[in-house]
Amino acid sequence: MNEARVVAAVDKQLFIGGKWVDATGGRTSEVIDPATGSVLCVVADASPEDGRAALDAAVAAQPAFAATPPRERADILMRAFELLHERVDDLALLMTLEMGKPLAESRGEIAYAAEFFRHFAGEAVRIDGGYQTAPAGGSRFLVARQPVGPCLLITPWNFPMAMGTRKLGPAIAAGCTSVIKPAPQTPLSILALMDILAHAGLPAGAVNCISTTEAGAVLEPMIRSGLARKLSFTGSTQVGRILLEQCAEKVLRTSMELGGNAPVLVFADADLDEAVEGVFAAKMRNMGEACTAANRIYVHSSVIEEFGRRLAERMAGLTVGRGTDAGVNVGPLIDDAALRKVQTLVADAVKRGATVLTGGEATGGAGYFYPPTVLTGVPRDAAMSSQEIFGPVAPLTPFETEDEAVAAANDTEFGLIAYVFTKDLRRSLRVAEALDTGMVGLNQGVVSNPAAPFGGVKASGLGREGGAIGIDEFLETKYIGIKMG
Ligand code: ADP
């Protein structure tokens, strides 16, 4: 069986200093298939001592890795890019088994993840500096870029591979060593990536991987040791705040990709077909389990009925099931807690007056499935207006004026992304400028691209991943003042 084979093929230990090792005391934790609720396999479960060993390996490897020629680091990334493509069938199946998303989406994620390596292979050889004459003459300014140093990388379960390569790509390109900690629900993709990086020629210790069910106990001493110089985190705002506090002690550099609560504004002049497709994509990518997922959909009152009818029709046509099965468009949610949260949010919205256009009832049985759901007339005080739904539920709320819509969109502590649908160019730019978000999707529902700067403002985070500035997060700037004779 293919499924058993791909799971068996992954090394399930910790990857430290280029070697696969057991966790202290042989501790392991279970990986669950969310489509069945049954155990897929067990992986090593790192202790604080294991975390420290991984960090020591990264620290020991840092000077030599920083000194590798940029072209060598670029070549490693390109070989890893090619291996990700060569192994895409097995990697996609592995991801679907541990995370639930349909195979087609897993394949898409592997290609997206690989693209970060290709993008940053290009950046590795373009790290530049500056040379300037002081304004008053005399001295010269030399500006150099150097790797920040050893990094801690913490990734979530929703994009098990891409959130890893989005951090590892620029870290490797910049010449930073690292310890990566995947989410305990989905460690297998990153473990498979360690094998790829080793085959691509990455030196021992340059990347180390520890999976653990005790993230707080393992990571806090690593952060507070000050041995790592940077933390890059993707996850909840709640955990991000804790980590920022821990990083403050030794003043670590931080990149924080935190929660979202993406608003969508569909204006009366929007191309409704385009808007339905865009909102559908913004909502249903990854079963709605994305920080970029459309969370509040404001539609002009003159088109909300037609828009709701078309979106509900589109959503109702989807097939829910095990991601490995042919023809399935919507897999299970990650776990029981995620399913219960979605159920509670929908019940709350309905209690406050929302109408269900499609879906709205979990199917029950094994696995954490929830049907694609469209709600209309969702009041602004519904819990789902202020919380991330992280599931396949599209809440529609009517608006009358542009000012009202923009104010509603900005009425949140989050500021990751907003989506705007309109054919009016001036309105597009006016609204895009007025939205308090790091990203705006204009007439499109998916903006993620390794060549573009991804990131949020307000409680959605600090820093950007991808794009030309993605590597800056892993570089320090050193100014050398030169006295001339
Ligand atoms: P989610 O709710 O999506 O699981 P979390 O923010 O809880 O988001 O988790 C994102 C990542 O952060 C995971 O890898 C998780 O193990 C890790 N994590 C959770 N709590 C901590 C913590 N106290 N310290 C370090 N990492 C943590």
PDB file of all heavy atoms in Angstrom, residues 154-158 181-185 212-220 223 231 233-240 242-243 246 258 334-335 390, ligand 1:
ATOM      1  N   ILE A 154       9.856  28.149  14.008  1.00  0.00           N
ATOM      2  CA  ILE A 154       8.696  27.401  14.533  1.00  0.00           C
ATOM      3  C   ILE A 154       7.576  27.492  13.510  1.00  0.00           C
ATOM      4  O   ILE A 154       7.200  28.595  13.101  1.00  0.00           O
ATOM      5  CB  ILE A 154       8.234  27.987  15.887  1.00  0.00           C
ATOM      6  CG1 ILE A 154       9.388  27.960  16.897  1.00  0.00           C
ATOM      7  CG2 ILE A 154       7.029  27.211  16.420  1.00  0.00           C
ATOM      8  CD1 ILE A 154       9.055  28.590  18.237  1.00  0.00           C
ATOM      9  N   THR A 155       7.059  26.333  13.100  1.00  0.00           N
ATOM     10  CA  THR A 155       6.056  26.328  12.021  1.00  0.00           C
ATOM     11  C   THR A 155       4.739  25.691  12.482  1.00  0.00           C
ATOM     12  O   THR A 155       4.715  24.883  13.407  1.00  0.00           O
ATOM     13  CB  THR A 155       6.588  25.587  10.782  1.00  0.00           C
ATOM     14  OG1 THR A 155       6.919  24.241  11.137  1.00  0.00           O
ATOM     15  CG2 THR A 155       7.812  26.275  10.212  1.00  0.00           C
ATOM     16  N   PRO A 156       3.644  26.056  11.816  1.00  0.00           N
ATOM     17  CA  PRO A 156       2.314  25.548  12.180  1.00  0.00           C
ATOM     18  C   PRO A 156       1.948  24.313  11.359  1.00  0.00           C
ATOM     19  O   PRO A 156       2.703  23.905  10.473  1.00  0.00           O
ATOM     20  CB  PRO A 156       1.416  26.715  11.797  1.00  0.00           C
ATOM     21  CG  PRO A 156       2.074  27.288  10.577  1.00  0.00           C
ATOM     22  CD  PRO A 156       3.556  27.067  10.737  1.00  0.00           C
ATOM     23  N   TRP A 157       0.759  23.761  11.623  1.00  0.00           N
ATOM     24  CA  TRP A 157       0.331  22.525  10.958  1.00  0.00           C
ATOM     25  C   TRP A 157      -0.414  22.756   9.658  1.00  0.00           C
ATOM     26  O   TRP A 157      -0.630  21.835   8.891  1.00  0.00           O
ATOM     27  CB  TRP A 157      -0.548  21.700  11.905  1.00  0.00           C
ATOM     28  CG  TRP A 157      -1.688  22.493  12.497  1.00  0.00           C
ATOM     29  CD1 TRP A 157      -1.712  23.080  13.733  1.00  0.00           C
ATOM     30  CD2 TRP A 157      -2.925  22.846  11.866  1.00  0.00           C
ATOM     31  NE1 TRP A 157      -2.887  23.773  13.906  1.00  0.00           N
ATOM     32  CE2 TRP A 157      -3.652  23.644  12.773  1.00  0.00           C
ATOM     33  CE3 TRP A 157      -3.495  22.562  10.623  1.00  0.00           C
ATOM     34  CZ2 TRP A 157      -4.910  24.167  12.479  1.00  0.00           C
ATOM     35  CZ3 TRP A 157      -4.752  23.094  10.317  1.00  0.00           C
ATOM     36  CH2 TRP A 157      -5.443  23.876  11.246  1.00  0.00           C
ATOM     37  N   ASN A 158      -0.864  23.997   9.381  1.00  0.00           N
ATOM     38  CA  ASN A 158      -1.794  24.160   8.242  1.00  0.00           C
ATOM     39  C   ASN A 158      -1.120  24.078   6.877  1.00  0.00           C
ATOM     40  O   ASN A 158      -1.729  23.608   5.922  1.00  0.00           O
ATOM     41  CB  ASN A 158      -2.649  25.429   8.389  1.00  0.00           C
ATOM     42  CG  ASN A 158      -1.843  26.691   8.463  1.00  0.00           C
ATOM     43  OD1 ASN A 158      -0.638  26.663   8.696  1.00  0.00           O
ATOM     44  ND2 ASN A 158      -2.492  27.815   8.279  1.00  0.00           N
ATOM     45  N   LYS A 181      11.320  23.632  14.363  1.00  0.00           N
ATOM     46  CA  LYS A 181      10.378  22.842  15.151  1.00  0.00           C
ATOM     47  C   LYS A 181       9.025  22.855  14.453  1.00  0.00           C
ATOM     48  O   LYS A 181       8.313  23.858  14.487  1.00  0.00           O
ATOM     49  CB  LYS A 181      10.221  23.414  16.563  1.00  0.00           C
ATOM     50  CG  LYS A 181       9.481  22.464  17.472  1.00  0.00           C
ATOM     51  CD  LYS A 181       8.726  23.154  18.584  1.00  0.00           C
ATOM     52  CE  LYS A 181       7.415  23.724  18.157  1.00  0.00           C
ATOM     53  NZ  LYS A 181       6.398  22.746  17.669  1.00  0.00           N
ATOM     54  N   PRO A 182       8.679  21.734  13.812  1.00  0.00           N
ATOM     55  CA  PRO A 182       7.359  21.683  13.162  1.00  0.00           C
ATOM     56  C   PRO A 182       6.263  21.531  14.203  1.00  0.00           C
ATOM     57  O   PRO A 182       6.533  21.245  15.374  1.00  0.00           O
ATOM     58  CB  PRO A 182       7.451  20.436  12.280  1.00  0.00           C
ATOM     59  CG  PRO A 182       8.457  19.554  12.948  1.00  0.00           C
ATOM     60  CD  PRO A 182       9.427  20.476  13.659  1.00  0.00           C
ATOM     61  N   ALA A 183       5.017  21.713  13.783  1.00  0.00           N
ATOM     62  CA  ALA A 183       3.883  21.501  14.689  1.00  0.00           C
ATOM     63  C   ALA A 183       3.784  20.005  14.999  1.00  0.00           C
ATOM     64  O   ALA A 183       4.019  19.173  14.125  1.00  0.00           O
ATOM     65  CB  ALA A 183       2.598  21.984  14.032  1.00  0.00           C
ATOM     66  N   PRO A 184       3.435  19.652  16.225  1.00  0.00           N
ATOM     67  CA  PRO A 184       3.383  18.229  16.599  1.00  0.00           C
ATOM     68  C   PRO A 184       2.331  17.439  15.820  1.00  0.00           C
ATOM     69  O   PRO A 184       2.450  16.236  15.664  1.00  0.00           O
ATOM     70  CB  PRO A 184       3.043  18.260  18.093  1.00  0.00           C
ATOM     71  CG  PRO A 184       2.493  19.621  18.357  1.00  0.00           C
ATOM     72  CD  PRO A 184       3.103  20.535  17.349  1.00  0.00           C
ATOM     73  N   GLN A 185       1.306  18.136  15.294  1.00  0.00           N
ATOM     74  CA  GLN A 185       0.276  17.429  14.505  1.00  0.00           C
ATOM     75  C   GLN A 185       0.833  16.970  13.165  1.00  0.00           C
ATOM     76  O   GLN A 185       0.365  15.985  12.600  1.00  0.00           O
ATOM     77  CB  GLN A 185      -0.925  18.352  14.225  1.00  0.00           C
ATOM     78  CG  GLN A 185      -1.688  18.817  15.447  1.00  0.00           C
ATOM     79  CD  GLN A 185      -1.191  20.165  15.940  1.00  0.00           C
ATOM     80  OE1 GLN A 185      -0.020  20.514  15.804  1.00  0.00           O
ATOM     81  NE2 GLN A 185      -2.077  20.931  16.555  1.00  0.00           N
ATOM     82  N   THR A 212       8.332  18.157  18.989  1.00  0.00           N
ATOM     83  CA  THR A 212       8.049  17.978  20.417  1.00  0.00           C
ATOM     84  C   THR A 212       6.597  18.303  20.724  1.00  0.00           C
ATOM     85  O   THR A 212       5.984  19.135  20.053  1.00  0.00           O
ATOM     86  CB  THR A 212       8.967  18.867  21.287  1.00  0.00           C
ATOM     87  OG1 THR A 212       8.619  18.670  22.665  1.00  0.00           O
ATOM     88  CG2 THR A 212       8.813  20.351  20.954  1.00  0.00           C
ATOM     89  N   THR A 213       6.065  17.623  21.732  1.00  0.00           N
ATOM     90  CA  THR A 213       4.717  17.957  22.199  1.00  0.00           C
ATOM     91  C   THR A 213       4.779  18.959  23.349  1.00  0.00           C
ATOM     92  O   THR A 213       3.755  19.386  23.856  1.00  0.00           O
ATOM     93  CB  THR A 213       3.988  16.693  22.691  1.00  0.00           C
ATOM     94  OG1 THR A 213       4.827  16.027  23.636  1.00  0.00           O
ATOM     95  CG2 THR A 213       3.670  15.756  21.539  1.00  0.00           C
ATOM     96  N   GLU A 214       6.018  19.298  23.771  1.00  0.00           N
ATOM     97  CA  GLU A 214       6.170  20.260  24.864  1.00  0.00           C
ATOM     98  C   GLU A 214       6.882  21.503  24.370  1.00  0.00           C
ATOM     99  O   GLU A 214       7.986  21.846  24.817  1.00  0.00           O
ATOM    100  CB  GLU A 214       6.946  19.610  26.009  1.00  0.00           C
ATOM    101  CG  GLU A 214       6.147  18.525  26.684  1.00  0.00           C
ATOM    102  CD  GLU A 214       6.917  17.836  27.787  1.00  0.00           C
ATOM    103  OE1 GLU A 214       8.044  18.279  28.120  1.00  0.00           O
ATOM    104  OE2 GLU A 214       6.392  16.851  28.313  1.00  0.00           O
ATOM    105  N   ALA A 215       6.237  22.176  23.414  1.00  0.00           N
ATOM    106  CA  ALA A 215       6.894  23.298  22.737  1.00  0.00           C
ATOM    107  C   ALA A 215       7.378  24.356  23.731  1.00  0.00           C
ATOM    108  O   ALA A 215       8.512  24.824  23.650  1.00  0.00           O
ATOM    109  CB  ALA A 215       5.938  23.913  21.728  1.00  0.00           C
ATOM    110  N   GLY A 216       6.518  24.695  24.682  1.00  0.00           N
ATOM    111  CA  GLY A 216       6.881  25.757  25.618  1.00  0.00           C
ATOM    112  C   GLY A 216       8.107  25.387  26.438  1.00  0.00           C
ATOM    113  O   GLY A 216       9.075  26.160  26.521  1.00  0.00           O
ATOM    114  N   ALA A 217       8.086  24.187  27.029  1.00  0.00           N
ATOM    115  CA  ALA A 217       9.185  23.768  27.904  1.00  0.00           C
ATOM    116  C   ALA A 217      10.490  23.589  27.134  1.00  0.00           C
ATOM    117  O   ALA A 217      11.578  23.826  27.658  1.00  0.00           O
ATOM    118  CB  ALA A 217       8.813  22.451  28.601  1.00  0.00           C
ATOM    119  N   VAL A 218      10.394  23.168  25.879  1.00  0.00           N
ATOM    120  CA  VAL A 218      11.607  22.928  25.086  1.00  0.00           C
ATOM    121  C   VAL A 218      12.161  24.239  24.519  1.00  0.00           C
ATOM    122  O   VAL A 218      13.364  24.494  24.555  1.00  0.00           O
ATOM    123  CB  VAL A 218      11.315  21.914  23.947  1.00  0.00           C
ATOM    124  CG1 VAL A 218      12.510  21.786  23.006  1.00  0.00           C
ATOM    125  CG2 VAL A 218      10.956  20.550  24.542  1.00  0.00           C
ATOM    126  N   LEU A 219      11.274  25.082  23.995  1.00  0.00           N
ATOM    127  CA  LEU A 219      11.742  26.289  23.304  1.00  0.00           C
ATOM    128  C   LEU A 219      12.171  27.413  24.247  1.00  0.00           C
ATOM    129  O   LEU A 219      13.121  28.146  23.950  1.00  0.00           O
ATOM    130  CB  LEU A 219      10.639  26.799  22.360  1.00  0.00           C
ATOM    131  CG  LEU A 219      10.699  26.331  20.907  1.00  0.00           C
ATOM    132  CD1 LEU A 219      11.955  26.871  20.222  1.00  0.00           C
ATOM    133  CD2 LEU A 219      10.663  24.821  20.783  1.00  0.00           C
ATOM    134  N   GLU A 220      11.482  27.554  25.372  1.00  0.00           N
ATOM    135  CA  GLU A 220      11.784  28.726  26.213  1.00  0.00           C
ATOM    136  C   GLU A 220      13.255  28.785  26.629  1.00  0.00           C
ATOM    137  O   GLU A 220      13.900  29.831  26.454  1.00  0.00           O
ATOM    138  CB  GLU A 220      10.856  28.782  27.432  1.00  0.00           C
ATOM    139  CG  GLU A 220      11.118  30.060  28.231  1.00  0.00           C
ATOM    140  CD  GLU A 220      10.098  30.342  29.311  1.00  0.00           C
ATOM    141  OE1 GLU A 220       9.119  29.572  29.457  1.00  0.00           O
ATOM    142  OE2 GLU A 220      10.293  31.350  30.021  1.00  0.00           O
ATOM    143  N   ILE A 223      15.349  29.838  23.701  1.00  0.00           N
ATOM    144  CA  ILE A 223      15.240  31.268  23.399  1.00  0.00           C
ATOM    145  C   ILE A 223      16.026  32.078  24.428  1.00  0.00           C
ATOM    146  O   ILE A 223      16.825  32.953  24.093  1.00  0.00           O
ATOM    147  CB  ILE A 223      13.758  31.701  23.401  1.00  0.00           C
ATOM    148  CG1 ILE A 223      13.021  31.016  22.243  1.00  0.00           C
ATOM    149  CG2 ILE A 223      13.620  33.216  23.328  1.00  0.00           C
ATOM    150  CD1 ILE A 223      11.503  31.113  22.319  1.00  0.00           C
ATOM    151  N   LEU A 231      14.434  34.478  16.075  1.00  0.00           N
ATOM    152  CA  LEU A 231      13.296  33.557  16.109  1.00  0.00           C
ATOM    153  C   LEU A 231      12.343  33.940  14.980  1.00  0.00           C
ATOM    154  O   LEU A 231      11.947  35.102  14.860  1.00  0.00           O
ATOM    155  CB  LEU A 231      12.557  33.669  17.446  1.00  0.00           C
ATOM    156  CG  LEU A 231      11.230  32.896  17.519  1.00  0.00           C
ATOM    157  CD1 LEU A 231      11.472  31.397  17.596  1.00  0.00           C
ATOM    158  CD2 LEU A 231      10.408  33.332  18.717  1.00  0.00           C
ATOM    159  N   PHE A 233       8.639  32.820  13.652  1.00  0.00           N
ATOM    160  CA  PHE A 233       7.494  32.047  14.130  1.00  0.00           C
ATOM    161  C   PHE A 233       6.289  32.257  13.227  1.00  0.00           C
ATOM    162  O   PHE A 233       5.994  33.382  12.827  1.00  0.00           O
ATOM    163  CB  PHE A 233       7.146  32.513  15.555  1.00  0.00           C
ATOM    164  CG  PHE A 233       5.855  31.954  16.101  1.00  0.00           C
ATOM    165  CD1 PHE A 233       5.773  30.637  16.527  1.00  0.00           C
ATOM    166  CD2 PHE A 233       4.719  32.759  16.201  1.00  0.00           C
ATOM    167  CE1 PHE A 233       4.589  30.120  17.038  1.00  0.00           C
ATOM    168  CE2 PHE A 233       3.530  32.250  16.720  1.00  0.00           C
ATOM    169  CZ  PHE A 233       3.463  30.931  17.131  1.00  0.00           C
ATOM    170  N   THR A 234       5.597  31.188  12.899  1.00  0.00           N
ATOM    171  CA  THR A 234       4.285  31.293  12.268  1.00  0.00           C
ATOM    172  C   THR A 234       3.307  30.525  13.134  1.00  0.00           C
ATOM    173  O   THR A 234       3.504  29.328  13.404  1.00  0.00           O
ATOM    174  CB  THR A 234       4.290  30.727  10.837  1.00  0.00           C
ATOM    175  OG1 THR A 234       5.225  31.468  10.051  1.00  0.00           O
ATOM    176  CG2 THR A 234       2.913  30.848  10.201  1.00  0.00           C
ATOM    177  N   GLY A 235       2.274  31.204  13.601  1.00  0.00           N
ATOM    178  CA  GLY A 235       1.296  30.553  14.472  1.00  0.00           C
ATOM    179  C   GLY A 235       0.330  31.584  15.017  1.00  0.00           C
ATOM    180  O   GLY A 235       0.134  32.657  14.420  1.00  0.00           O
ATOM    181  N   SER A 236      -0.243  31.276  16.159  1.00  0.00           N
ATOM    182  CA  SER A 236      -1.277  32.141  16.719  1.00  0.00           C
ATOM    183  C   SER A 236      -0.688  33.408  17.337  1.00  0.00           C
ATOM    184  O   SER A 236       0.462  33.417  17.791  1.00  0.00           O
ATOM    185  CB  SER A 236      -2.051  31.369  17.790  1.00  0.00           C
ATOM    186  OG  SER A 236      -1.166  31.008  18.832  1.00  0.00           O
ATOM    187  N   THR A 237      -1.490  34.454  17.384  1.00  0.00           N
ATOM    188  CA  THR A 237      -1.066  35.699  18.017  1.00  0.00           C
ATOM    189  C   THR A 237      -0.797  35.475  19.506  1.00  0.00           C
ATOM    190  O   THR A 237       0.146  36.030  20.071  1.00  0.00           O
ATOM    191  CB  THR A 237      -2.146  36.782  17.810  1.00  0.00           C
ATOM    192  OG1 THR A 237      -2.254  37.021  16.397  1.00  0.00           O
ATOM    193  CG2 THR A 237      -1.799  38.074  18.512  1.00  0.00           C
ATOM    194  N   GLN A 238      -1.622  34.618  20.090  1.00  0.00           N
ATOM    195  CA  GLN A 238      -1.480  34.323  21.525  1.00  0.00           C
ATOM    196  C   GLN A 238      -0.083  33.767  21.843  1.00  0.00           C
ATOM    197  O   GLN A 238       0.593  34.245  22.755  1.00  0.00           O
ATOM    198  CB  GLN A 238      -2.553  33.292  21.848  1.00  0.00           C
ATOM    199  CG  GLN A 238      -2.717  32.914  23.269  1.00  0.00           C
ATOM    200  CD  GLN A 238      -3.561  31.634  23.369  1.00  0.00           C
ATOM    201  OE1 GLN A 238      -4.002  31.070  22.362  1.00  0.00           O
ATOM    202  NE2 GLN A 238      -3.752  31.167  24.579  1.00  0.00           N
ATOM    203  N   VAL A 239       0.361  32.782  21.075  1.00  0.00           N
ATOM    204  CA  VAL A 239       1.704  32.216  21.303  1.00  0.00           C
ATOM    205  C   VAL A 239       2.771  33.210  20.854  1.00  0.00           C
ATOM    206  O   VAL A 239       3.812  33.350  21.508  1.00  0.00           O
ATOM    207  CB  VAL A 239       1.850  30.853  20.580  1.00  0.00           C
ATOM    208  CG1 VAL A 239       3.284  30.353  20.648  1.00  0.00           C
ATOM    209  CG2 VAL A 239       0.914  29.821  21.197  1.00  0.00           C
ATOM    210  N   GLY A 240       2.515  33.946  19.777  1.00  0.00           N
ATOM    211  CA  GLY A 240       3.475  34.946  19.302  1.00  0.00           C
ATOM    212  C   GLY A 240       3.809  35.967  20.381  1.00  0.00           C
ATOM    213  O   GLY A 240       4.965  36.356  20.556  1.00  0.00           O
ATOM    214  N   ILE A 242       3.721  35.529  23.648  1.00  0.00           N
ATOM    215  CA  ILE A 242       4.572  34.871  24.657  1.00  0.00           C
ATOM    216  C   ILE A 242       6.013  34.829  24.153  1.00  0.00           C
ATOM    217  O   ILE A 242       6.964  35.132  24.875  1.00  0.00           O
ATOM    218  CB  ILE A 242       4.059  33.429  24.928  1.00  0.00           C
ATOM    219  CG1 ILE A 242       2.659  33.465  25.538  1.00  0.00           C
ATOM    220  CG2 ILE A 242       5.041  32.651  25.799  1.00  0.00           C
ATOM    221  CD1 ILE A 242       1.991  32.096  25.639  1.00  0.00           C
ATOM    222  N   LEU A 243       6.176  34.451  22.882  1.00  0.00           N
ATOM    223  CA  LEU A 243       7.524  34.311  22.326  1.00  0.00           C
ATOM    224  C   LEU A 243       8.224  35.669  22.232  1.00  0.00           C
ATOM    225  O   LEU A 243       9.426  35.775  22.496  1.00  0.00           O
ATOM    226  CB  LEU A 243       7.446  33.638  20.954  1.00  0.00           C
ATOM    227  CG  LEU A 243       6.975  32.182  21.002  1.00  0.00           C
ATOM    228  CD1 LEU A 243       6.751  31.641  19.595  1.00  0.00           C
ATOM    229  CD2 LEU A 243       7.969  31.297  21.749  1.00  0.00           C
ATOM    230  N   GLN A 246       9.621  36.402  25.547  1.00  0.00           N
ATOM    231  CA  GLN A 246      10.811  35.595  25.835  1.00  0.00           C
ATOM    232  C   GLN A 246      12.019  36.111  25.054  1.00  0.00           C
ATOM    233  O   GLN A 246      13.148  36.094  25.544  1.00  0.00           O
ATOM    234  CB  GLN A 246      10.544  34.122  25.498  1.00  0.00           C
ATOM    235  CG  GLN A 246       9.495  33.493  26.407  1.00  0.00           C
ATOM    236  CD  GLN A 246       9.123  32.074  25.985  1.00  0.00           C
ATOM    237  OE1 GLN A 246       9.669  31.525  25.031  1.00  0.00           O
ATOM    238  NE2 GLN A 246       8.197  31.475  26.697  1.00  0.00           N
ATOM    239  N   LEU A 258       1.456  36.004  12.401  1.00  0.00           N
ATOM    240  CA  LEU A 258       0.472  35.615  13.422  1.00  0.00           C
ATOM    241  C   LEU A 258      -0.929  35.522  12.822  1.00  0.00           C
ATOM    242  O   LEU A 258      -1.087  35.326  11.627  1.00  0.00           O
ATOM    243  CB  LEU A 258       0.555  36.608  14.584  1.00  0.00           C
ATOM    244  CG  LEU A 258       1.989  36.807  15.126  1.00  0.00           C
ATOM    245  CD1 LEU A 258       2.018  37.829  16.242  1.00  0.00           C
ATOM    246  CD2 LEU A 258       2.587  35.487  15.607  1.00  0.00           C
ATOM    247  N   ILE A 334      -8.326  19.842  11.227  1.00  0.00           N
ATOM    248  CA  ILE A 334      -7.127  19.210  11.793  1.00  0.00           C
ATOM    249  C   ILE A 334      -7.428  18.330  13.004  1.00  0.00           C
ATOM    250  O   ILE A 334      -6.829  17.279  13.177  1.00  0.00           O
ATOM    251  CB  ILE A 334      -6.034  20.257  12.127  1.00  0.00           C
ATOM    252  CG1 ILE A 334      -4.704  19.580  12.496  1.00  0.00           C
ATOM    253  CG2 ILE A 334      -6.461  21.195  13.236  1.00  0.00           C
ATOM    254  CD1 ILE A 334      -4.014  18.894  11.365  1.00  0.00           C
ATOM    255  N   ASP A 335      -8.338  18.755  13.855  1.00  0.00           N
ATOM    256  CA  ASP A 335      -8.617  17.929  15.033  1.00  0.00           C
ATOM    257  C   ASP A 335     -10.001  18.256  15.602  1.00  0.00           C
ATOM    258  O   ASP A 335     -10.723  19.126  15.084  1.00  0.00           O
ATOM    259  CB  ASP A 335      -7.511  18.059  16.103  1.00  0.00           C
ATOM    260  CG  ASP A 335      -7.258  19.505  16.503  1.00  0.00           C
ATOM    261  OD1 ASP A 335      -8.171  20.344  16.368  1.00  0.00           O
ATOM    262  OD2 ASP A 335      -6.138  19.808  16.964  1.00  0.00           O
ATOM    263  N   PHE A 390     -11.148  29.558  10.823  1.00  0.00           N
ATOM    264  CA  PHE A 390     -10.254  28.437  10.483  1.00  0.00           C
ATOM    265  C   PHE A 390     -11.044  27.196  10.066  1.00  0.00           C
ATOM    266  O   PHE A 390     -10.759  26.072  10.491  1.00  0.00           O
ATOM    267  CB  PHE A 390      -9.298  28.121  11.641  1.00  0.00           C
ATOM    268  CG  PHE A 390      -7.857  28.366  11.258  1.00  0.00           C
ATOM    269  CD1 PHE A 390      -7.437  29.636  10.893  1.00  0.00           C
ATOM    270  CD2 PHE A 390      -6.917  27.337  11.235  1.00  0.00           C
ATOM    271  CE1 PHE A 390      -6.111  29.875  10.519  1.00  0.00           C
ATOM    272  CE2 PHE A 390      -5.590  27.568  10.860  1.00  0.00           C
ATOM    273  CZ  PHE A 390      -5.184  28.851  10.507  1.00  0.00           C
TER     274      PHE A 390
HETATM  275  P1  ADP B   1      -2.276  26.670  16.343  1.00  0.00           P
HETATM  276  O1  ADP B   1      -3.339  27.128  17.257  1.00  0.00           O
HETATM  277  O2  ADP B   1      -2.533  26.949  14.912  1.00  0.00           O
HETATM  278  O3  ADP B   1      -1.782  25.290  16.581  1.00  0.00           O
HETATM  279  P2  ADP B   1      -0.040  27.712  17.788  1.00  0.00           P
HETATM  280  O4  ADP B   1       0.408  29.120  17.832  1.00  0.00           O
HETATM  281  O5  ADP B   1      -0.539  27.071  19.020  1.00  0.00           O
HETATM  282  O6  ADP B   1      -1.091  27.664  16.612  1.00  0.00           O
HETATM  283  O7  ADP B   1       1.119  26.786  17.214  1.00  0.00           O
HETATM  284  C1  ADP B   1       2.012  27.172  16.191  1.00  0.00           C
HETATM  285  C2  ADP B   1       3.368  26.567  16.467  1.00  0.00           C
HETATM  286  O8  ADP B   1       3.856  27.086  17.699  1.00  0.00           O
HETATM  287  C3  ADP B   1       3.358  25.050  16.645  1.00  0.00           C
HETATM  288  O9  ADP B   1       4.571  24.540  16.110  1.00  0.00           O
HETATM  289  C4  ADP B   1       3.317  24.886  18.147  1.00  0.00           C
HETATM  290  O10 ADP B   1       3.847  23.650  18.577  1.00  0.00           O
HETATM  291  C5  ADP B   1       4.206  26.031  18.574  1.00  0.00           C
HETATM  292  N1  ADP B   1       4.008  26.482  19.954  1.00  0.00           N
HETATM  293  C6  ADP B   1       2.862  26.480  20.675  1.00  0.00           C
HETATM  294  N2  ADP B   1       3.089  26.982  21.915  1.00  0.00           N
HETATM  295  C7  ADP B   1       4.406  27.313  21.966  1.00  0.00           C
HETATM  296  C8  ADP B   1       5.256  27.887  22.970  1.00  0.00           C
HETATM  297  N3  ADP B   1       4.803  28.225  24.178  1.00  0.00           N
HETATM  298  N4  ADP B   1       6.562  28.076  22.673  1.00  0.00           N
HETATM  299  C9  ADP B   1       7.038  27.756  21.457  1.00  0.00           C
HETATM  300  N5  ADP B   1       6.290  27.236  20.463  1.00  0.00           N
HETATM  301  C10 ADP B   1       4.990  27.008  20.714  1.00  0.00           C
END
